Amino acid sequence: MSTAIVTGPPVPGSSLESDLRALGFEVRTASDTTEAEALLTAVPADRRVAVVDARFVGHVHALRLGLTDPRFPLAAIPGAVTAQPAARPALARALAREAAAGGATALAVDGLVTALDADVHHPELGSLVAAVPTDPQARNEARQAVAAVDDEAIRLKSAVKSRDGFFTTFFVSPYSRYIARWCARRGLTPNQVTTASLLTALIAAGCAATGTRAGFVAAGALLVFSFVLDCTDGQLARYSLQYSTLGAWLDATFDRAKEYAYYAGLALGAARGGDDVWALALGAMILQTCRHVVDFSFNEANHDATANTSPTAALSGRLDSVGWTVWVRRMIVLPIGERWALIAVLTAATTPRITFYVLLIGCAFAATYTTAGRVLRSLTRKARRTDRAARALSDLADNGPLAGFVSRTLHAPLGSPFLVALAGVAILTVSLFSGVTWAPVAGAVVYALAAGQALARPLKGALDWLVPPLFRAAEYGTVLVLASKSGVNGTLPAAFGLVAAVAYHHYDTVYRIRGDAGAPPAWLVRAVGGQEGRTLLVTVLAAVLTAAQFKAALTVLAVVVAGLVLVESIRFWVSAGAPAVHDEGEPA
């Protein structure tokens, strides 16, 4: 329940109070500043409070944007201000100052906003009207302006992201926004739509796992429908302003769970037809996860850097002014809409093996294109990275106790963090393909030393944002190579499960950092060994165990890691203190 305090004498013909009630507010009226202060004090501390000028004229959606968005503790539009429980003290202080100055005079809400000693969010209203007319003529003009603009049309349009992929923009959003409105009018929540999208994708994966042509066709159709629902949940959240911490967590993680579960379904379906494509499925998951880490690392390294300009960025900006190049550049990086549409069509029309081959080639090209562009930008821009960016990159690296000991013990850095990490990954890679049983263990030891050395000093170099993606590729690639070499049926599916569990841990780390909550707790990183510890452990297990025992060990390791990271992640994201991070769709 929320409470709205309408201040000032009532205005004949005004629908303000009914509009506020329609938005879920309990309405109370105050004739002057002193009475408004008393009413604010009487409102229970756990309620949102809005203070609205009785003379307000504007669209209902302007009030909705200004007074009901749960993401902002304090928000205001002309003639109205709102405070969530955490920001109530700031509103009370400002109102007390206004009461001391004005007493029994009418409260000027816009003056109250100016008096607030805290940050106030001012939503972009565009062509929506929000005004406090002071005379009949101005009121009449404001009402005419309200009648001239269809706020429902604006609300529908604003439910769609302003920047999205070609497939989403032209093949989904034109109708999914109406599905979102249909859901809103029936009381459905974004979380329910998100869950429906997940269930649809899991059913699609199950259809793919049948290995029949009918199953593949059904799987492709259901995957597309799952994506439509995936777009709808965000549009519903924007349409009805139903943002929540739990919704943030669900939206941030379910996209990856859906896609990777579908990969597993395709691999199971192929196996029913006698074709083993688990290595391709695992490779596709590794490639896609590493692409996301490149995105996250680059953005974290540069979003608050100073003097953050480069000729490459300027060229990109000029290309954006040429309309067709914008869509081409968005499509070739295979964002989620294009990628899922491609997977769906290939599943229905071809075989799982062909689907994975095309997906791997397309994603590899997209990864090369985006990474090369970002490397070029990093080398040509003169940017000074902040301590916060260096901390975020260090957290994304996911180094564990072994690398931490190396960082603390070997104080003299051997060179650039990026070059040290690259050298460690190169040595590990050579050892994996050497053909010598214990060579991977030696390579993993050197890699762990390099991982510790890479983080011996802050990651502020031009290319240091590549350190976390290198570590992801090294860890996941080690599991893929050793599982492929085992030659025992079932080892690659076990490896798929292990990489999926670790990837979830890394995505969870990303979204915590994006919400300014920092990395997962140190005990969790220690418990799951850190990326270098897990890499070393897998190489040791492969060296000392038989192929059958190695499969069992990977299965146990996958279950343990998944259990630890899921329990801690769920505890964090459903807690009251978790940040409200809303995934608006990654470029990759």
Side-chain angles (χ1 to χ4, degrees):
M1 175 65 73
S2 302
T3 299
I5 301 171
V6 178
T7 68
V11 177
S14 173
S15 63
L16 176 61
E17 292 191 15
S18 61
D19 290 342
L20 288 170
R21 291 191 181 96
L23 294 176
F25 286 92
E26 174 192 34
V27 179
R28 302 180 184 181
T29 59
S31 59
D32 55 41
T33 306
T34 300
E35 189 175 354
E37 182 185 19
L39 287 175
L40 177 63
T41 304
V43 174
D46 61 345
R47 286 191 182 184
R48 172 196 285 272
V49 175
V51 181
V52 186
D53 196 309
R55 299 169 296 174
F56 176 87
V57 175
H59 288 100
V60 176
H61 192 48
L63 284 172
R64 182 182 291 107
L65 290 173
L67 303 183
T68 67
D69 195 325
R71 295 173 295 175
F72 307 104
L74 280 169
I77 58 174
V81 63
T82 184
Q84 294 197 57
R88 285 272 300 276
L91 181 61
R93 289 193 299 270
L95 191 54
R97 287 193 292 269
E98 293 295 295
T105 61
L107 174 64
V109 175
D110 291 341
L112 175 64
V113 174
T114 304
L116 285 168
D117 55 4
D119 291 334
V120 181
H121 171 69
H122 296 275
E124 179 63 46
L125 298 181
S127 57
L128 294 173
V129 176
V132 183
T134 57
D135 58 70
Q137 181 179 349
R139 175 170 295 278
N140 184 54
E141 292 174 351
R143 286 175 173 172
Q144 290 178 357
V146 170
V149 176
D150 184 354
D151 68 340
E152 178 60 20
I154 292 176
R155 188 181 178 191
L156 268 175
K157 183 178 179 181
S158 63
V160 178
K161 289 190 295 186
S162 59
R163 184 184 186 277
D164 219 329
F166 180 86
F167 180 79
T168 306
T169 300
F170 295 103
F171 293 91
V172 178
S173 292
Y175 57 87
S176 61
R177 70 184 75 183
Y178 295 102
I179 300 176
R181 182 171 67 180
W182 183 89
C183 293
R185 291 177 174 177
R186 283 153 184 79
L188 298 176
T189 68
N191 291 353
Q192 291 171 330
V193 178
T194 301
T195 302
S197 176
L198 173 67
L199 293 176
T200 303
L202 293 179
I203 295 173
C207 291
T210 63
T212 64
R213 178 52 52 195
F216 288 149
V217 172
L222 287 170
L223 186 65
V224 172
F225 182 57
S226 174
F227 180 68
V228 172
L229 292 177
D230 181 58
C231 295
T232 300
D233 65 0
Q235 291 166 358
L236 174 58
R238 288 183 286 273
Y239 180 84
S240 56
L241 300 183
Q242 295 184 75
Y243 300 106
S244 69
T245 298
L246 177 60
W249 174 65
L250 295 176
D251 193 48
T253 56
F254 277 13
D255 278 354
R256 278 84 220 183
K258 288 181 287 190
E259 184 168 358
Y260 299 157
Y262 192 83
Y263 292 174
L266 278 177
L268 288 170
R272 286 181 177 271
D275 190 12
D276 186 354
V277 297
W278 275 105
L280 297 177
L282 180 51
M285 180 168 66
I286 291 172
L287 179 56
Q288 190 55 42
T289 303
C290 289
R291 287 184 65 202
H292 279 135
V293 176
V294 167
D295 294 335
F296 297 139
S297 295
F298 181 80
N299 291 336
E300 287 299 325
N302 292 287
H303 86 282
D304 58 354
T306 57
N308 200 4
T309 60
S310 76
T312 308
L315 175 60
S316 178
R318 288 194 295 271
L319 287 174
D320 284 343
S321 65
V322 183
W324 66 270
T325 66
V326 175
W327 293 117
V328 170
R329 292 166 66 207
R330 290 184 190 179
M331 291 174 65
I332 62 176
V333 299
L334 277 185
I336 185 170
E338 277 76 358
R339 192 168 65 251
W340 283 25
L342 176 68
I343 294 171
V345 170
L346 290 173
T347 299
T350 65
T351 66
R353 179 172 291 274
I354 293 175
T355 300
F356 281 123
Y357 278 151
V358 175
L359 180 63
L360 285 166
I361 293 170
C363 287
F365 175 80
T368 302
Y369 170 77
T370 55
T371 305
R374 289 168 178 172
V375 168
L376 189 57
R377 289 190 184 195
S378 300
L379 292 175
T380 57
R381 70 176 21 140
K382 301 181 187 299
R384 293 185 296 277
R385 294 195 172 87
T386 63
D387 291 337
R388 179 204 173 280
R391 178 72 261 173
L393 292 177
S394 177
D395 291 337
L396 286 173
D398 192 35
N399 276 0
L402 179 56
F405 175 77
V406 173
S407 296
R408 294 188 301 270
T409 305
L410 303 178
H411 298 291
L414 298 177
S416 160
F418 166 67
L419 293 178
V420 171
L422 183 62
V425 172
I427 292 172
L428 175 61
T429 302
V430 171
S431 70
L432 289 171
F433 293 98
S434 66
V436 180
T437 301
W438 284 90
V441 177
V445 170
V446 174
Y447 169 74
L449 294 174
Q453 267 289 295
L455 266 65
R457 59 184 180 185
L459 300 178
K460 293 187 177 182
L463 297 179
D464 287 351
W465 59 271
L466 283 167
V467 170
L470 280 172
F471 288 169
R472 295 297 80 76
E475 180 183 1
Y476 302 159
T478 296
V479 176
L480 170 60
V481 171
L482 294 178
S484 299
K485 286 183 173 182
S486 72
V488 171
N489 189 34
T491 304
L492 277 168
F496 188 97
L498 174 58
V499 172
V502 176
Y504 176 86
H505 167 58
H506 290 143
Y507 281 120
D508 182 54
T509 302
V510 164
Y511 286 105
R512 292 189 194 220
I513 293 172
R514 288 178 61 178
D516 292 323
W523 72 262
L524 178 64
V525 177
R526 289 194 297 269
V528 297
Q531 58 88 19
E532 84 293 347
R534 291 187 298 271
T535 302
L536 179 59
L537 175 60
V538 170
T539 61
V540 171
L541 292 174
V544 302
L545 301 178
T546 65
Q549 292 171 336
F550 182 56
K551 178 184 74 172
L554 288 182
T555 303
V556 171
L557 188 57
V559 171
V560 171
V561 172
L564 287 171
V565 299
L566 281 172
V567 168
E568 164 54 23
S569 176
I570 294 171
R571 180 209 64 77
F572 173 77
W573 285 101
V574 301
S575 70
V581 179
H582 300 277
D583 182 18
E584 292 291 348
E586 300 305 326

